[in-house]
Amino acid sequence: MAIPSSAAPTTAPTTTPTAAPTTRRRGVTFLRVALALQTLAVLFQATTAGLLLSTSYGETLHSVGARVMYGASMLYLLAAILAWRPGGGPARPIGYAAGFLALASVQVVLGVARQSAPHVPLGVLMFGLSLLDLGRGLSAGAGARRG
């Protein structure tokens, strides 16, 4: 016995048109959080650099902070890749993140070699670049929410 066509269940494929924007929003949010973490880690490094000169525990804090900052730089690169490829975001943050990771690598080498003459100004430059990138990322997000 055949089922009448009016009684046949219809299973039309359901698609969510908001799936792609949601994925992109998550990628951008992860990117901003990773960048904020990186900026805070570099600021922590500047603080512990001062402690390095004035306390006995400053070297330990600065050493731990260096590892955290380097990890945060790698996380920022990962977040930039994830925001770009699966999230559909721009590729430009990947260049910023890769460049920052390269600077962080140089910074670690200079720190281990105790070359403070280039290490300190490079740290200041890194903080400025990270803060600039964070400001750009946050202002771009605010503009997208307004418009």
Side-chain angles (χ1 to χ4, degrees), residues 25 28-29 32 137-147:
R25 230 177 299 133
V28 169
T29 300
R32 288 185 187 138
L138 293 178
S139 67
R145 283 191 296 271
R146 279 188 240 130

Side-chain angles (χ1 to χ4, degrees), residues 92-127:
R92 180 171 285 158
I94 296 172
Y96 296 150
F100 197 89
L101 186 58
L103 289 176
S105 299
V106 170
Q107 186 71 332
V108 168
V109 168
L110 290 171
V112 169
R114 300 201 184 277
Q115 297 293 317
S116 58
H119 182 78
V120 172
L122 181 58
V124 173
L125 175 67
M126 288 172 62
F127 179 67

Side-chain angles (χ1 to χ4, degrees), residues 3-80:
I3 300 174
S5 63
S6 62
T10 57
T11 54
T14 57
T15 59
T16 356
T18 59
T22 301
T23 303
R24 184 166 189 231
R25 230 177 299 133
R26 283 187 198 144
V28 169
T29 300
F30 180 42
L31 183 65
R32 288 185 187 138
V33 168
L35 181 52
L37 178 64
Q38 173 186 280
T39 305
L40 286 173
V42 176
L43 177 63
F44 180 77
Q45 283 303 92
T47 304
T48 60
L51 291 174
L52 181 66
L53 301 172
S54 59
T55 65
S56 61
Y57 57 87
E59 185 173 358
T60 303
L61 285 176
H62 197 66
S63 178
V64 169
R67 288 167 176 80
V68 171
M69 185 271 306
Y70 199 77
S73 298
M74 288 190 283
L75 182 68
Y76 176 41
L77 180 59
L78 174 67

